[in-house]
Structure formats: C-alpha cells, structure tokens
Amino acid sequence: MAKTAELLPGTLDMLILKAVSLKPLHGYGVLLRIRQISRDALEIPQGSLYPALYRLEHHDLIAAEWGQSENNRRAKYYTLTAAGRRRLRDETAGWNRLASAIAVALSTTSEEV
Amino acid sequence: MLKRFRSLFRVLTRRREFEDGMTEELSFHIEQYTDDLVRSGMSREEAARVTRRELGSPINIKADCRQAFGIHLLDELRRQLSYAIRLLRKSPGFTATALLTIAVCFGANLTIFAVIDSVLLRPLPFPEPGRLTTIFNTYPKAGVERDGSSLTNYYERRGNVPAFTSLAIYRYGTEIVGEPGSTERDQTMRVSPDFFSTLGLGPVIGRSFTEEETTSETDHVAILSDTFWRQRYNADSNVIGKQIRVNSVPRTVIGVLPPAFRFLSSDAQLFLPLASRPEDRTPSQRHAGGNVIQMIARLQPGATLAQAQSEIDAQNASLEADDPQAKMIADAGFRSLVVPLHADHVVAIRLTLLLLQAGAMALLLIGAVNLVNLLLVRASGRVKELAVRQALGAGRGYVVSEVVVETTLLTLVGGLLGLVIGAGGIHLLGMLGVDRLPLGSRIAFDGRLALVALLAAIIMGIVFAVPIAWFNLRRHLGNALQSESRSGTSGRATQFLRHSFIVSQIALAFMLLAGAGLLGLSLQRAMAVSPGFQSDHVLTGHILLPWADYPDGPSRLAFAEKLMDKVGPLPGVLYAGVVNNVPFSGKTGKSAATVLGHILRPSESARGHYSYGVGGDYFHAMGFSLRSGRFLTADDSAGSTRVCVVDEDFARYYWPNASAIGGRLWDGSEVGKDNEAFTVVGVVGGVKQAGLTEDYAQGAIYYPYVFRIEDSFFVAVHTTLPPESLGLALQRVVRQIDPDIPVNDLRSMETRIADSLVARRSPALLAGLFSGIALLLTAIGTYGVLSYAVAQRRREIGLRMALGAQPGHIRGQFLYLFLRLLAGGVLLGVIGAWLTSQAMQAVLFHVPPFNLAILTSALCIIALVSLAACLLPSSRAARISPMDALAEE
C-alpha cells in the first residue's frame, strides 16, 4: 500500500466538495473518489465522512437525493449546489495561496536570508 | 441562516425518514466496503472486522450526523421537557397553584392590555393617522372648555392655514330613514365635502360630496356605510343613483364607504352633506359653535402641531381685530386649540386605563414573587439531587437550561389558561358597558393579543428562571453533599430574598388596596351627588321631527302639545313634559345670557349657561325642587309672556344678596330690546347636565318651550310604574300622532345617570377585583414562606423545646418575624400608595389623595389576611414534638 498522509483539519470538507463537483456520488463513492483523485495518498477517516456530508448538506453546500447505485441498491447521491460551487472556488484559491506561501517559505535557503 | 432553519424544520417534520436514511446510508457503506475488501482477497470475517475498525461505531456516527443538523439540541429539549413534565406532575399542588397564579395574573393583564391596545395603541384606521388633528374653540374663563368649531371657522380657515393639507367639519346626528310605516332612526354624520379626503379614506363605490351640495336646496345626496349597504341594499353594486328617504325627503345615493371606514367611536350608517346657509358662515357667527360642529384637519407632511397652532392663533388674532365683540371674546380666554385627533378622543380615559394596567402589573408582580418563592422552595428541596447530578457531569449550561425549560413550560401553560381568563375578562368588560367608552367597540380578543401573550409568557418564563438558576449554580457542591439534612440548608442570601419578597408583596397589595379604595370612595361620592332632580320613576326618550314635515316653530309646537295631551292620560303617568335637552343626554352645549344690571367685573368674562326650552309639566315630571317663585306651566310654554326660571347656581351668581325673582335677562350675549327681556319667575335646584362629577356650577335657564323650539327634543314622563314599562305605550302614542316618527334613546333617568358613571364604575370594580386577588396571593405567599421557615427549622425547634422552650414562645417567635415583615411591607406600601394617589389625582372625585380612613382600612385588611395566613404555620411550629423532630433523618 502506498504511503498515506494525514488530513489537515478543515480540508475534508474541501475534498468532499471537490469530489462531488466532478459527478454526483453516494457517500462510499465520495470516499473512493477522494482516494482516486489523491492517487491513494490521502487517507480519509471513514467515521468523520458522514458527519461532514451531513454538515455540508445542512449548510446547503451540497444537496442529497436518493437514487440507484451501480449494483441496483438504493443510495443517497450528493451533488454540488451553487453555494457549494462558490465555496469550493474560494477554498481552492485560499488553499493555493497558503500552499505556495508555505512552499516559498520552506524552500528558502540560507543564502537568501 | 433561514435556509438552515428550513433544513432543520424539514428534518424535524420527517424525523423517521431522516433516521432510516442514515441507517440505510451507513449499511450501504459497510456492505460496499466489505465487498470491496473481500474482492481484494480478504476473508469475509476479516473484511467485516476491518470495516468495523475503520468506520467506527455507527451509533457515534449517527449522533455526529444529528449534531450536524442541530437536531441534538431539540432532542435535548424534548428530554428536558419530559423531565419537567414528570417533575410537575409529581407535585400537583405546586403545579396547580403556580398555573392558577400565572393564569389569573396573566388574564388580568391581558384584559386591560386588550383595552389599552384598542383604545390607546392601535392607530385610527386611516392612512398616516398621526397627521390627523382636531381643532376646537375654548373659552375657559367663561366656563366653556370646549365649544367645537363654527361654520364660520371652517370657511375662514379652509385653505388659509399652510400647516394643514386639508380641513373639514362634521356633526353627529340621527335621522329617520325609510319609507312611511317602516322608518327607523339611524346614526348619521353630516360632513363637509373634504371630510373623506382629510381622513384619506372615502367611498369605494361612487363619489364623495361636492362643494355644490352644501346648501339645503342641493344637499339631497347620501353616502352609505358598508354595513348599511349590505343590510338594506343587499350589497347591490348598482346602488348608486337609487333613492333613499331621509327625514321624509328623498335623497340620491352617491357613494358607499369601505368596510374598514369607522370614524372614531361613531356608529354612523349614513353620511349626508353638512349644508348651511350663507348667513350661517358670516363673521358674526364665528363663535356660535355650541359644541355641535367639530373640525378635523390633516397636517402637512413634516408640519408640527406647534406650527399649526401658531398659524391658527395668528389667523384668529387678525380676524378678531375688527370683531365688535372682540373684548368679550378675549376676556373669555378664547383660543382655538389644535390637538391630535386620536389622543384627544381618548383623553378622558387614558389615565384610568394606564392606572388599571399598572394595577394589573402590580398583581402580576405579586404573583411572580409568589411563584419564584415557591420555585425556590422546590429548588432547595432538590439541592442534593442537583449536586449529585453536577458531580456526575451535568454542566452549568445544562442546569440552567433545565430550569428555563421548566419555568417556561409553566408560564406557557399558565399563559394559555390566562388567555382563556383574558377572553372572559374582555367579555365581562363588555357587560360592564366598556364598549361605550371612546373607541371601546374596537376592543376585541385577536391574534395580535395572543401573540403578545405568547411573547410575554416566554419572557416571563426566562425571568422566573434567573433566580432559580442562580440559586442552583451558587451552591458549592461539597457543602450540599456533606450537609446532613436531606434538603440542604438555606443560606442567608436566600432567606433575605424570601423575606424581601414577602415585604414587597405586602407593599404592592397595600398599594392596590389603597388605590381601589380611592376609586371606590370616589365612585361612592359621585353617586351621592344629587343631580338636581328626583331621578326615580322618570322615563325619557328622544324625538326628532323631520324638517320637511315640521319646517317651522308652530308645527313643532303643535306636535309637542298633541304629544302632551296624549301622554298625560296614559295609565300610570303622573306628569309629562318636553325639553330640548334632557340632563345626562350627552349634549352639553352652553349658551350665553345677559342679566340686566350685571356689570362685568374687570377679571370676569361672560359665562356660558345651560339653556333649556321646557314645555308641559317638565319640572314636576323630573321632580325638580322649587327654591322660590313658581315653576313654568303648560300655559307659559305656549303663551307669549316672556318669563323664565333659573337654577340656584345661576341665581346665586347674578343676585348673590337678593332674590332672583323679578330679575330680567336676555337670551344672548348682548343687552337686547326691553320687550325681549325675560323675567325670572322661579328658582329651582341646580342641575347636573354633563354628569354627576361636573364640578363647575354652570347655572341654567329654563325658557318656555315656545321660545326655544327645536326639531329635536326629549320627552320626560313621571310614572308610578317601573319607568321602562312605559316605553312601548310612549312609542305607540308618538306613532299615532305621526307614523313616521320613532322614539329613540328610551332610558329611565336612573339608567342615564348609571350609564354616565361607566368610566368610574368599571375601573373601581376592576381595581377591587385586582386587590382581592392580590390579597389572596399575598396570603398564599406569606403562608408558603412561613411554613417553609417552620419546616426548615424543625430540628432546631425540636431541640429548643427539648431543652425547655415553651410552645407559646416558639409561636411568638414566628409571629414576631411575621410582624417585622408586615411592618416593612406596610411602610413601603404607604410610600407607594402616596405616590400612586398623586398619579391618580385627576381621576378622583372629591377624595383627597391621602385619605387616612382608606389607608387605615387597607392596613387592617392586609394585616388580618396575612395574619390569618401566618397563624397556621406558626401554631404548627408550636406543636412540633421534640421527639419526632429529633428522631427524623
């Protein structure tokens, strides 16, 4: 198994929003999709996945609807709402700023000080 | 925020679905994951184990999910609610007392608030009602506080006062409406063309009156109220242009008002143009108001009352400059006052209502104090239980919310019962005749009131929770747990709190009692005032002769004489008379008279007097007492000798040191021709025209009917029978003379007087009721606190008695405690009563605000009642058996 990284606090919501933005997914699908798009580098704590989904739904960032799964089981599918799309864009931009700032900071060599 | 509430609400309404969905979603996840693990080569058991480990407990996940939706709070609330219900059901005595206390206090407040809301708070039903004003002439130095406005005022002011967008006049009246044989008397209003536009609400069908319709030749038009239109015309939309017979003259319907149209307290069904002749509008008629015509005006947006007042003052000043009577008018203190329409209409009852609300609030406060006391007693009984629960991890927030839930539950249920009581109270007020007060017919029990009640109940619940939560949190856990007593000890602070509750209760009840006493005494004194005549066995009724059939004096006089001839022989009738305005009719117009030889002193101004035209045996019918000379007789009323009778107030004022008999006077404000003077032939007892509490001795003149014939007059009949029983016979007689004419406002004189006291009787009754409840609550409170004190000190008392203390000593100790509390309460109460009586002064009649008799009786009543409440617990203390008390626990 590949080496996995712990999630930073607050990043789970962002990843869920990203996952359902690509295609409507059920809860388990979200888990798989995050693993897939992070190339198995991120380990999602399964216990916190559902509370996070419910929180996002309650805040109207994602919407839920019951549908049929690939193997014909009833499953709850999540889609991104307009508010969720906005939130994802903002968080992505924020994350990129933070990441590049930290990257710059960490790549500083002694000559540059 | 709103969205979140909506999503929470959605979940709450489909709670099962939410729970099932959660379970299904999780089991789907578990199944899928396990399958995937099996597919990757794991054994099924191993896979199930891994899934369980990685996912964690489904119960915890579900709890987290619920929390994400905020449902956990509501679940918690539900749990606390059922806990509170369980606790309350466990002590039915406490619960019943608490609920009843809240219900009664709440109901009393709601009842009064319903009146305040409809009379004082709810705006008049017109657009921007705050800009509506009324303007009236006042001549305070002539004893005429209110004289309405004259036609001349209207025509001079209209368009000439920049602070007003528009200005209108109106007069109330009654007219005979309908076809011959089926006529009815209806309330009407005669209004100027700009009346509806000034109010901002006019006919919804048809049109308003025009300027051309203000002469008596052209005013044959009418506007209907919505009720009239629905009842008489069956809401016919083609009513415009139809004919309606008013006072025997056909008029054309030109408009229908909207259902919401209601001018102040008027019940007018029909609106007619206020027609007048050019000579009625001349400067000489400027001060001929007589309180018949009233003026309203709408302020310009942004204009102030003060601005309007100064413009009116300036106009009056410039108009009076060339008035031949200018000096007399100025001496009378003449001014035209601009006041807000709504406030002016309710000014007479505003203070009474506010005082009653304050009384109801005091009642609520007493009840609240009782309740908090009871709750504190309960809380101290549960100190240990609470300490254990806190030790086991119940947080402070939890402890507080538990209390809030319990008290709010109590106040909500009590408030609901209070709504029922309030509805009953409003019904009771209706029976007391409150709907006859200004705007009184608007009083209703509605959603607005219920909403106010709901909010108040919630606020009250939270307020009640504060001291209890403080009490619960303040204790140190360790102390309570170690304390050997089952119920824990009561700290000094709580004891002080409890005692000050009793003191404030006694003080408040004392204030209420004293206030009610003042109102009651005031009512009693008002009722004891003699109206100037014998009010028993007199029936009076109002008759209005239609102008078309009775256009002049002789025809009207003939009608009155025919009526006297027919009424006199009726069985049971002793005397019958007519008068153009009977006392207590509600009409209080005054007019001037000039007495021969009377020279105005420098500071004196001409006075307004009640002037009556009387016919038949009016003085005997009303039972006036003759002071000197003789009454006017039937011969006088039809004859042409100029004689008159004055009342003793008039006689005393103009002939202070001599007999009034033989004195001469003129009807009007000027000395007239010699042959027009009236000679005084008799002096009768002073009359109260406006009401028993009318203090200013106005003086009255009675002219023979022939000199004061009006189209509207009253008939007064003195009978040996119960007066009301004569009503039908009187009506029959009038119909015999003219089938078109109904008798209106048939009331005995006693009823008229009783009706005139409604604004005093209802408040006195309510205040009495309030103080009765207050006494009961105070008794309950005193009893509760003292019994608790006894129960708490049981062991101590037992010990002392074992060491030789006498029962009488123990009893005395509790009585002493009670007396200290009583003294404190009464002391505060006297101060409070003094303050309230200052505020009440304006509504009191001939009662000094600081009345020792009332204060003493209030003191006695409160001392007796609370002493009775304290005797039981203190004698219980004296009967404590030392053995039992010490053996307990």
Side-chain angles (χ1 to χ4, degrees):
Chain A
M1 202 183 252
K3 201 172 176 185
T4 57
E6 288 279 306
L7 271 186
L8 282 171
T11 45
L12 177 60
D13 287 6
M14 199 158 60
L15 289 171
I16 293 175
L17 290 178
K18 180 68 196 174
V20 298
S21 76
L22 303 171
K23 180 185 171 204
L25 291 168
H26 49 66
Y28 184 61
V30 171
L31 180 76
L32 295 182
R33 176 57 49 86
I34 292 178
R35 277 191 187 161
Q36 180 215 345
I37 58 181
S38 70
R39 288 159 195 97
D40 281 343
L42 292 172
E43 185 54 44
I44 303 296
Q46 292 185 31
S48 26
L49 175 65
Y50 285 95
L53 280 170
Y54 275 67
R55 193 168 51 246
L56 293 172
E57 186 191 342
H58 185 53
H59 290 192
D60 201 34
L61 297 173
I62 55 177
E65 207 172 334
W66 288 91
Q68 292 287 322
S69 76
E70 314 82 59
N71 48 4
N72 276 334
R73 281 281 311 271
R74 217 168 86 88
K76 203 169 156 195
Y77 278 89
Y78 296 95
T79 49
L80 204 62
T81 64
R85 196 166 301 283
R86 263 198 310 281
R87 171 68 66 87
L88 178 61
R89 203 171 47 230
D90 294 349
E91 295 222 345
T92 311
W95 174 262
N96 286 340
R97 266 199 308 281
L98 180 70
S100 56
I102 289 179
V104 168
L106 292 183
S107 62
T108 312
T109 55
S110 58
E111 290 90 70
E112 292 174 60
V113 177
Chain B
M1 195 65 190
L2 196 70
K3 272 184 185 161
R4 256 170 253 175
F5 271 123
R6 218 178 307 144
S7 107
L8 179 60
F9 182 73
R10 216 167 36 229
V11 169
L12 286 177
T13 49
R14 283 182 244 137
R15 187 66 199 272
R16 267 232 79 80
E17 213 174 288
F18 179 83
E19 293 289 331
D20 289 350
M22 223 158 43
T23 311
E24 193 172 352
E25 202 175 1
L26 282 177
S27 56
F28 175 77
H29 182 106
I30 292 168
E31 217 171 281
Q32 292 283 316
Y33 192 46
T34 318
D35 284 355
D36 282 355
L37 288 176
V38 170
R39 227 170 284 139
S40 70
M42 224 178 257
S43 77
R44 193 151 273 280
E45 294 78 44
E46 177 72 9
R49 201 165 46 243
V50 169
T51 310
R52 257 201 310 280
R53 195 183 59 226
E54 290 193 14
L55 190 63
S57 147
I59 294 173
N60 287 346
I61 293 176
K62 280 187 193 172
D64 287 348
C65 288
R66 281 188 209 108
Q67 197 155 356
F69 265 77
I71 301 174
H72 67 295
L73 290 175
L74 285 141
D75 287 345
E76 193 54 56
L77 186 68
R78 196 175 303 165
R79 205 159 25 244
Q80 291 193 346
L81 210 57
S82 69
Y83 180 67
I85 292 173
R86 219 165 36 237
L87 272 183
L88 291 176
R89 281 174 60 178
K90 240 172 60 185
S91 44
F94 162 80
T95 310
T97 314
L99 288 182
L100 210 62
T101 306
I102 298 172
V104 169
C105 299
F106 217 71
N109 273 281
L110 275 181
T111 306
I112 304 298
F113 183 72
V115 181
I116 292 218
D117 185 42
S118 358
V119 175
L120 302 183
L121 300 182
R122 213 170 284 207
L124 297 176
F126 305 109
E128 297 187 60
R131 281 168 50 205
L132 289 173
T133 63
T134 181
I135 306 160
F136 61 87
N137 294 338
T138 175
Y139 309 87
K141 288 187 192 156
V144 181
E145 294 296 335
R146 239 193 137 105
D147 205 41
S149 292
S150 61
L151 283 163
T152 314
N153 288 151
Y154 168 67
Y155 285 100
E156 283 173 349
R157 281 178 197 158
R158 180 165 85 139
N160 292 326
V161 184
F164 294 128
T165 53
S166 69
L167 193 130
I169 45 174
Y170 65 90
R171 65 180 288 183
Y172 296 117
T174 57
E175 323 280 342
I176 300 161
V177 180
E179 298 308 312
S182 65
T183 54
E184 249 181 66
R185 170 95 56 132
D186 278 304
Q187 303 286 321
T188 58
M189 280 182 79
R190 291 185 180 261
V191 303
S192 62
D194 32 20
F195 180 74
F196 297 111
S197 59
T198 302
L199 291 178
L201 191 64
V204 278
I205 304 177
R207 61 170 175 91
S208 196
F209 300 127
T210 62
E211 202 56 44
E212 289 68 45
E213 288 160 348
T214 58
T215 71
S216 48
E217 292 78 37
T218 57
D219 72 338
H220 304 314
V221 287
I223 291 173
L224 313 180
S225 77
D226 182 75
T227 320
F228 192 90
W229 175 57
R230 283 174 199 285
Q231 284 174 358
R232 308 285 176 88
Y233 290 93
N234 212 3
D236 178 5
S237 52
N238 295 318
V239 72
I240 304 298
K242 294 215 164 138
Q243 298 286 306
I244 179 169
R245 209 160 147 269
V246 181
N247 287 343
S248 325
V249 177
R251 287 172 183 258
T252 310
V253 174
I254 62 159
V256 179
L257 290 168
F261 188 92
R262 176 114 208 229
F263 182 70
L264 300 179
S265 306
S266 159
D267 226 356
Q269 300 300 319
L270 218 50
F271 294 80
L272 311 173
L274 205 169
S276 57
R277 297 165 303 174
E279 56 265 41
D280 296 331
R281 308 173 185 177
T282 56
S284 67
Q285 297 299 307
R286 193 177 293 138
H287 297 284
N291 213 13
V292 174
I293 293 176
Q294 308 294 339
M295 185 177 285
I296 52 168
R298 182 174 278 275
L299 284 172
Q300 288 280 6
T304 64
L305 275 179
Q307 198 178 328
Q309 180 69 64
S310 68
E311 285 174 14
I312 288 276
D313 286 346
Q315 199 205 24
N316 276 351
S318 73
L319 287 171
E320 289 299 330
D322 51 355
D323 186 336
Q325 289 188 314
K327 186 178 170 334
M328 193 187 84
I329 298 297
D331 285 345
F334 166 66
R335 265 194 91 189
S336 300
L337 297 179
V338 186
V339 288
L341 180 63
H342 185 174
D344 178 66
H345 188 62
V346 299
V347 69
I349 54 166
R350 184 170 173 276
L351 180 62
T352 308
L353 289 182
L354 292 180
L355 282 169
L356 279 176
Q357 184 76 75
M361 293 273 211
L363 194 64
L364 182 65
L365 212 57
I366 296 177
V369 163
N370 256 3
L371 214 63
V372 171
N373 238 335
L374 286 173
L375 284 166
L376 273 177
V377 168
R378 254 161 60 92
S380 56
R382 281 167 48 200
V383 160
K384 264 204 161 168
E385 174 210 329
L386 208 71
V388 169
R389 281 169 49 205
Q390 272 180 286
L392 292 177
R396 295 169 80 84
Y398 188 86
V399 170
V400 170
S401 75
E402 202 175 58
V403 174
V404 174
V405 165
E406 191 183 354
T407 52
T408 314
L409 179 67
L410 271 177
T411 52
L412 277 177
V413 177
L416 219 59
L417 294 173
L419 274 179
V420 177
I421 293 186
I426 291 167
H427 187 72
L428 177 82
L429 286 183
M431 292 198 300
L432 286 174
V434 172
D435 53 341
R436 262 175 283 141
L437 293 178
L439 300 182
S441 56
R442 291 208 293 181
I443 298 169
F445 195 84
D446 56 6
R448 183 174 147 115
L449 200 65
L451 191 71
V452 170
L454 179 73
L455 285 178
I458 292 174
I459 291 172
M460 239 163 57
I462 293 169
V463 169
F464 284 167
V466 170
I468 315 302
W470 167 79
F471 178 85
N472 283 348
L473 290 178
R474 189 186 53 97
R475 339 216 91 242
H476 295 292
L477 281 179
N479 281 353
L481 287 174
Q482 279 159 23
S483 148
E484 53 176 327
S485 132
R486 190 175 41 217
S487 53
T489 53
S490 92
R492 252 173 194 291
T494 14
Q495 192 178 342
F496 177 77
L497 195 66
R498 251 178 228 135
H499 289 175
S500 39
F501 279 169
I502 290 296
V503 168
S504 55
Q505 264 190 337
I506 291 177
L508 283 170
F510 185 89
M511 278 162 63
L512 270 177
L513 262 180
L518 287 175
L519 288 180
L521 192 63
S522 187
L523 173 68
Q524 197 194 13
R525 298 221 163 138
M527 289 201 295
V529 168
S530 160
F533 50 85
Q534 298 287 322
S535 57
D536 58 307
H537 289 92
V538 182
L539 180 71
T540 57
H542 185 215
I543 291 173
L544 182 75
L545 299 176
W547 186 80
D549 299 339
Y550 300 88
D552 52 6
S555 56
R556 293 174 192 168
L557 186 65
F559 181 93
E561 285 180 336
K562 225 182 281 177
L563 180 64
M564 289 300 93
D565 289 346
K566 282 191 180 279
V567 172
L570 285 178
V573 171
L574 292 181
Y575 305 104
V578 291
V579 64
N580 53 8
N581 187 13
V582 81
F584 299 87
S585 66
K587 289 199 246 172
T588 57
K590 295 162 192 169
S591 52
T594 312
V595 173
L596 179 69
H598 184 76
I599 298 151
L600 290 181
R601 292 180 288 274
S603 61
E604 187 193 4
S605 78
R607 289 158 59 93
H609 311 287
Y610 295 125
S611 304
Y612 306 92
V614 298
D617 235 343
Y618 177 71
F619 292 102
H620 281 122
M622 294 288 282
F624 273 98
S625 57
L626 185 65
R627 298 284 186 255
S628 64
R630 65 170 178 91
F631 287 143
L632 294 178
T633 63
D635 294 336
D636 292 318
S637 51
S640 54
T641 35
R642 293 192 168 246
V643 289
C644 70
V645 162
V646 298
D647 75 348
E648 52 190 351
D649 296 325
F650 190 92
R652 204 179 302 121
Y653 186 81
Y654 288 102
W655 297 278
N657 306 313
S659 166
I661 309 289
R664 301 187 54 142
L665 56 87
W666 286 272
D667 184 4
S669 57
E670 284 164 46
V671 173
K673 290 186 204 123
D674 198 46
N675 62 359
E676 283 174 357
F678 289 85
T679 309
V680 178
V681 295
V683 178
V684 296
V687 67
K688 301 281 177 194
Q689 173 65 34
L692 290 176
T693 55
E694 183 183 25
D695 258 348
Y696 191 78
Q698 203 63 53
I701 311 171
Y702 300 87
Y703 300 102
Y705 194 66
V706 67
F707 298 108
R708 280 219 164 214
I709 301 173
E710 287 172 17
D711 57 346
S712 132
F713 67 93
F714 289 81
V715 53
V717 179
H718 195 108
T719 162
T720 48
L721 309 169
E724 270 83 4
S725 68
L726 212 64
L728 276 176
L730 189 61
Q731 250 162 349
R732 208 167 39 237
V733 164
V734 171
R735 292 264 188 205
Q736 274 170 17
I737 303 172
D738 188 336
D740 248 10
I741 297 178
V743 183
N744 205 45
D745 194 21
L746 263 172
R747 276 187 285 167
S748 72
M749 260 344 273
E750 276 174 333
T751 312
R752 278 186 199 279
I753 293 176
D755 288 351
S756 78
L757 288 172
V758 65
R760 281 185 189 278
R761 190 178 305 109
S762 321
L765 276 175
L766 284 178
L769 190 66
F770 287 177
S771 35
I773 300 170
L775 273 178
L776 185 69
L777 289 176
T778 309
I780 294 176
T782 314
Y783 172 80
V785 166
L786 285 171
S787 331
Y788 182 69
V790 169
Q792 276 230 310
R793 291 163 68 180
R794 225 173 127 73
R795 276 165 68 89
E796 174 210 321
I797 297 166
L799 192 63
R800 280 168 54 199
M801 285 175 78
L803 294 175
Q806 293 300 306
H809 190 77
I810 303 289
R811 191 185 304 125
Q813 185 196 349
F814 281 99
L815 283 180
Y816 176 65
L817 168 66
F818 160 72
L819 282 179
R820 271 193 353 226
L821 298 179
L822 179 67
V826 169
L827 193 72
L828 281 178
V830 170
I831 298 172
W834 187 75
L835 290 174
T836 34
S837 62
Q838 293 301 314
M840 285 171 71
Q841 206 146 17
V843 300
L844 297 180
F845 175 69
H846 288 193
V847 178
F850 209 75
N851 186 303
L852 204 60
I854 283 179
L855 291 181
T856 322
S857 350
L859 172 66
C860 290
I861 294 174
I862 215 147
L864 278 178
V865 169
S866 47
L867 188 66
C870 127
L871 277 180
L872 204 63
S874 49
S875 64
R876 193 184 304 143
R879 281 201 313 272
I880 287 174
S881 140
M883 289 303 288
D884 292 351
L886 292 173
E888 269 172 18
E889 300 190 21

